[in-house]
Amino acid sequence: MRDAQADFCRRAWTSCPRCADQRGCPTCEAGRTCETHWRFLLASEGRKVFVQCPGCWHRWWHDTGAGVGDRPQDLDELPDFPEPGRAVA
């Protein structure tokens, strides 16, 4: 059954773990967005997306892996600022 949140305008391109209908499609295998093998994008949370296959109606959370390891460790650290009135060396 089609999820109530399923909207044709909100799509994602990932492999369906149940029916694998994208197998053998040259466009999908090249990593491009295919007009046939897309999924309904139902929700997202951080780097995970909740999708539904329009072919077999299977729903699942998919970890996109986006953002993993691409942020430097010390990005949020602030530099030391001199106290007011003290000269900077």
Side-chain angles (χ1 to χ4, degrees):
M1 173 189 258
R2 182 172 163 179
D3 192 284
Q5 298 296 318
D7 181 357
F8 179 77
C9 296
R10 294 179 16 178
R11 297 183 284 174
W13 284 264
T14 184
S15 302
C16 178
R18 181 181 283 167
C19 71
D21 62 348
Q22 75 287 344
R23 237 183 278 168
C25 173
T27 305
C28 291
E29 289 178 357
R32 297 191 312 265
T33 55
C34 178
E35 288 298 318
T36 307
H37 305 110
W38 51 269
R39 314 299 170 213
F40 288 113
L41 175 59
L42 303 176
S44 63
E45 186 174 305
R47 67 184 204 184
K48 294 183 180 182
V49 292
F50 190 54
V51 292
Q52 182 176 34
C53 177
C56 69
W57 303 117
H58 179 60
R59 295 182 303 174
W60 72 100
W61 280 99
H62 173 73
D63 187 346
T64 65
V68 177
D70 63 353
R71 186 177 173 140
Q73 291 272 1
D74 59 352
L75 186 65
D76 296 325
E77 292 181 16
L78 297 174
D80 291 330
F81 290 100
E83 292 179 27
R86 290 187 68 184
V88 179

